[in-house]
Amino acid sequence: MTGVGTRLLPLGGDDPRALGPYRLLGRLGSGGMGRVYLARTGPGGPLAAVKTLLAEGEVGAHDRRRFAREVTLAQRVDDRYTARVLGADPEAPTPWMAIEYIAAPSLAELVRTAGRLPASAVRWVAAGTAQALLALHGQGIVHRDVKPQNVLLPLEGPRLIDFGISHAQDITRTTLTLGTIAFTSPEQARGEPSTERSDVYSLGATLFHLAVGRPPYPEGEDTLRLLARVSRGDLDLTGLPKELVPLVRPCLAVDPAGRPRPADVLDRFPEKARRLPASAGGSRWLPPRWTELIGAYERQGAEWERAAPAGPVAAAADDPTRAVPPPGPTRTYTEERERARARARAQERERERRQEQARERARERERERARAQERERVQEHERAQERRRARQRPRTRASAGARTASPAPAPAPTPSPPPAKKSSGAGWAPLVLAVLVLLFTARTCDDAARTTTPPSTAGSGGGSATRPTPGYAYTPRTPTPSARDLAFRAVRGGDCLDVYDDGYDRWSRPAPIRVDCDSASAYVRVTRAGPAATCDAGPGRDRWANHADDGVRTVLCLSRQFRTGQCFTAEIDGDGEASADLMEIWNCAHDRVPKGRTHILQITGHYRTPSDGRLRCPDEDTRYWTWKVNEGRSYVCTRVA
């Protein structure tokens, strides 16, 4: 009896309305060879899960014998740790078997939806499941399919279900269900006879799954490789808490003789621990997130129990708001959690944008200061030249006057003897020498002015005239765009780029490189480009800005191109929830991850979001993490690489 949950599907056209004394109320699910219905015998009667065979046309003799054997085995077991048989008719046109309905989730659903169990709770579940195996083995029955999906967990304690491929000790071979390989024993994987110790191995694998969140083998392998690994007993026990090693590791011995018996498993607990599963104290050991889901199942079962046979139960089946359906099998995040993270990322990007604007304003102020300092230097240079010319002009005019002016009139004559010729010659020589020195100095300064003095204006007679003077002229420097600046400016919306986050919050390239959007290196698509482009936030979205020295700003809005086989790193916490930057690309073969990350996830597919909003990944037996992308229009499935 697999797939039991709180969702009750309406009966279809090929479903019977009654089987024996049981009136069918709706379909609970479908197993490997049969369907399971919710039913009751009449008003006030107990609910039952009625299992039938799936067959095209008339049921074959082989299938009928197999079903009859299953009924016989199930009727031999009447224990509080298993589902009790209420009635059966293997010879009916549609063979059926009615089992008490247990309103509880399976261990597989609890781990997938509510996370892993602490060590104390694992011991509590182990004790109850071992007690159920004792009841089976006491009747000479080997279950052969112990796995998380076949252990229901009400608060009273574990209940072992589904004897679909169970067998008595004289029936030792049957077809191996590939979907359960990760929980089968090595001898089963090799096709050898299975024994009670085979169930103990499966119990150990189930307990490991409760504690770690995965089977005791590396994830991501195909069926044949996993089958070969199981047959060798090639385990991966990474993550198993130390306090659970003495309980779980002996159960996973490759040699069946080295495994404990169910009674030995129970003997590992004190007397009070062995009594715990029989008590109603499951809430004392299970974490709140587990008890909440178990309580939801119990409330739904009680509502169905009170409902009239033909009315409210069927209505509840069609009303999705009445049930408390668990999340899809591949969901890791709730929508609210994803929206909160999207808001946080949007706020972080807005903070980065404001910081970048502040840095740009600071750079602009620095450039303005540099231009002001340059203008000040030019003005100071011009003032210095003007002062130099002012000092030179009076001396030059005095020298010219000495050369051309008439001799000044002599003072009033005073009687004196006329000078001698020697004295007259000695008085003119210094004067001539001074004139020559002044002329040489004026010539030198004039040449210097031609090469260093900017244009000047000379005025005379109340008017003015501008006279260009060859020499120094200041030309402000205009920054030349770099190759990086030009690369950013060449990008347009719709282009694809060979760039991605390298795992350390850095872009893999210093400048964008445009590539064909169909190429394997087209990691991102540009949705918008421009100096003031506004970018959307969300998983697989980011922005890349460039501020050139010439003041031109370019913003590129990027959207991740998801392709099957690509990998990125993620942090997976103790509850199995993952967080990651979907703009990142990481080598799938790396054996290390950046600080703060724990796993490498590989994209297994990129799909359009269905109308019902449920995200489905191909293999239900593989642990997936999914993300909605492209504003929820599509989603990606990922698993551990």
Side-chain angles (χ1 to χ4, degrees):
M1 185 173 62
T2 60
V4 178
T6 57
R7 293 189 62 191
L8 186 62
L9 303 176
L11 298 175
D14 59 342
D15 291 318
R17 272 19 185 197
L19 290 170
Y22 291 93
R23 183 170 185 174
L24 307 187
L25 306 177
R27 188 193 302 174
L28 290 170
S30 299
M33 293 185 60
R35 288 179 179 172
V36 183
Y37 300 95
L38 182 69
R40 70 192 325 161
T41 55
L47 293 177
V50 179
K51 181 176 181 178
T52 66
L53 283 179
L54 281 177
E56 295 290 339
E58 186 178 355
V59 178
H62 172 76
D63 291 335
R64 191 178 293 274
R65 287 194 301 270
R66 177 186 175 91
F67 189 81
R69 182 169 64 244
E70 179 182 350
V71 171
T72 301
L73 295 176
Q75 289 174 332
R76 286 164 53 182
V77 181
D78 186 5
D79 191 89
R80 64 177 179 269
Y81 300 107
T82 62
R84 186 166 52 91
V85 177
L86 303 177
D89 187 359
E91 302 301 327
T94 301
W96 60 272
M97 175 173 59
I99 306 171
E100 65 173 322
Y101 173 67
I102 303 173
S106 69
L107 295 180
E109 181 180 346
L110 283 162
V111 172
R112 182 177 63 242
T113 305
R116 301 173 295 176
L117 272 186
S120 58
V122 172
R123 295 191 185 97
W124 185 82
V125 174
T129 311
Q131 187 68 50
L133 289 178
L134 276 177
L136 289 179
H137 297 168
Q139 296 294 327
I141 299 172
V142 177
H143 189 285
R144 191 178 162 85
D145 196 20
V146 178
K147 58 183 179 181
Q149 292 91 330
N150 284 343
V151 181
L152 301 183
L153 188 62
L155 287 178
E156 294 78 12
R159 307 288 289 274
L160 190 58
I161 62 170
D162 202 342
F163 294 79
I165 58 172
S166 303
H167 52 85
Q169 288 181 345
D170 58 340
I171 305 172
T172 56
R173 292 178 183 271
T174 187
T175 302
L176 179 64
T177 304
L178 296 181
T180 65
I181 290 177
F183 298 96
T184 58
S185 63
E187 58 269 22
Q188 285 177 279
R190 295 192 296 264
E192 300 172 359
S194 56
T195 65
E196 297 175 359
R197 303 295 177 94
S198 301
D199 285 346
V200 173
Y201 188 96
S202 299
L203 172 61
T206 298
L207 298 178
F208 182 90
H209 180 78
L210 296 182
V212 183
R214 62 173 177 84
Y217 302 99
E219 294 186 287
E221 293 189 325
D222 57 55
T223 301
L224 293 179
R225 290 183 180 178
L226 180 59
L227 184 62
R229 187 183 292 275
V230 173
S231 66
R232 300 191 304 267
D234 187 4
L235 300 167
D236 177 11
L237 301 184
T238 304
L240 180 64
K242 293 181 179 179
E243 57 267 38
L244 290 178
V245 172
L247 170 65
V248 176
R249 188 62 184 91
C251 296
L252 297 175
V254 178
D255 184 4
R259 302 171 199 155
R261 297 172 300 173
D264 299 328
V265 174
L266 281 175
D267 287 341
R268 294 182 180 275
F269 300 95
E271 184 65 20
K272 61 177 182 179
R274 288 205 296 268
R275 292 196 301 267
L276 284 175
S279 70
S283 57
R284 296 170 50 196
W285 299 96
L286 299 174
R289 57 185 183 276
W290 278 50
T291 57
E292 289 173 5
L293 183 57
I294 294 173
Y297 270 75
E298 289 181 347
R299 290 190 295 273
Q300 183 67 82
E303 182 179 342
W304 288 343
E305 190 74 39
R306 293 189 301 267
V313 171
D318 297 331
D319 184 2
T321 64
R322 298 292 300 278
V324 187
T330 63
R331 294 301 308 277
T332 299
Y333 298 118
T334 62
E335 292 296 331
E336 182 58 33
R337 183 183 180 91
E338 183 62 30
R339 285 194 293 270
R341 291 186 175 178
R343 287 194 297 270
R345 287 191 290 268
Q347 292 171 356
E348 178 64 24
R349 288 189 172 88
E350 178 63 18
R351 188 160 49 251
E352 292 177 355
R353 185 182 67 82
R354 292 177 179 176
Q355 292 174 351
E356 183 62 29
Q357 289 178 344
R359 288 192 292 268
E360 175 61 22
R361 288 193 294 268
R363 286 193 291 266
E364 181 60 31
R365 287 194 297 269
E366 183 63 29
R367 286 193 290 267
E368 182 59 34
R369 266 197 304 271
R371 288 193 290 267
Q373 291 174 355
E374 183 68 17
R375 287 194 298 269
E376 181 63 26
R377 284 194 295 270
V378 171
Q379 293 171 0
E380 179 61 28
H381 178 78
E382 292 176 347
R383 287 193 293 270
Q385 293 297 324
E386 183 62 28
R387 287 194 297 270
R388 186 178 298 112
R389 287 194 299 272
R391 288 194 300 270
Q392 294 170 356
R393 279 196 295 270
R395 289 195 298 270
T396 303
R397 285 195 294 271
S399 300
R403 238 189 354 260
T404 61
S406 301
T414 301
S416 61
K421 290 183 180 180
K422 182 176 181 180
S423 301
S424 175
W428 280 102
L431 180 60
V432 172
L433 181 60
V435 170
L436 292 176
V437 170
L438 289 175
L439 288 175
F440 178 79
T441 304
R443 176 68 176 272
T444 303
C445 292
D446 189 60
D447 291 341
R450 286 192 178 92
T451 58
T452 60
T453 305
S456 60
T457 301
S460 61
S464 65
T466 301
R467 178 175 58 85
T469 303
Y472 175 88
Y474 168 70
T475 303
R477 186 180 70 87
T478 301
T480 301
S482 64
R484 169 189 165 91
D485 301 335
L486 296 177
F488 269 91
R489 297 177 193 178
V491 177
R492 298 291 182 269
D495 288 347
C496 290
L497 306 180
D498 178 11
V499 68
Y500 53 86
D501 189 302
D502 67 354
Y504 297 95
D505 295 328
R506 300 177 308 216
W507 294 113
S508 59
R509 295 187 180 278
I513 295 181
R514 292 179 292 171
V515 295
D516 189 279
C517 289
D518 293 329
S519 68
S521 59
Y523 298 112
V524 297
R525 180 186 294 271
V526 180
T527 58
R528 297 186 186 93
T534 302
C535 303
D536 298 327
R541 298 293 180 92
D542 211 332
R543 64 191 294 274
W544 194 8
N546 178 63
H547 298 270
D549 290 338
D550 59 0
V552 178
R553 178 171 177 263
T554 305
V555 177
L556 306 181
C557 298
L558 308 180
S559 177
R560 168 77 181 272
Q561 297 277 89
F562 296 98
R563 288 187 170 85
T564 300
Q566 292 176 345
C567 290
F568 56 88
T569 62
E571 179 184 4
I572 301 178
D573 61 22
D575 294 331
E577 295 186 346
S579 58
D581 183 354
L582 298 191
M583 297 300 292
E584 177 189 312
I585 300 288
W586 195 258
N587 189 335
C588 299
H590 273 358
D591 58 357
R592 294 181 180 274
V593 295
K595 185 177 181 180
R597 316 293 171 80
T598 59
H599 291 74
I600 300 175
L601 298 184
Q602 186 172 36
I603 299 174
T604 61
H606 183 202
Y607 310 100
R608 185 188 302 274
T609 302
S611 58
D612 61 5
R614 184 177 180 182
L615 310 187
R616 302 173 178 86
C617 295
D619 186 358
E620 294 289 338
D621 293 330
T622 300
R623 180 68 184 273
Y624 285 95
W625 287 265
T626 62
W627 279 269
K628 279 188 176 181
V629 296
N630 296 327
E631 299 179 346
R633 294 189 297 272
S634 60
Y635 66 99
V636 292
C637 292
T638 67
R639 65 183 181 187
V640 175

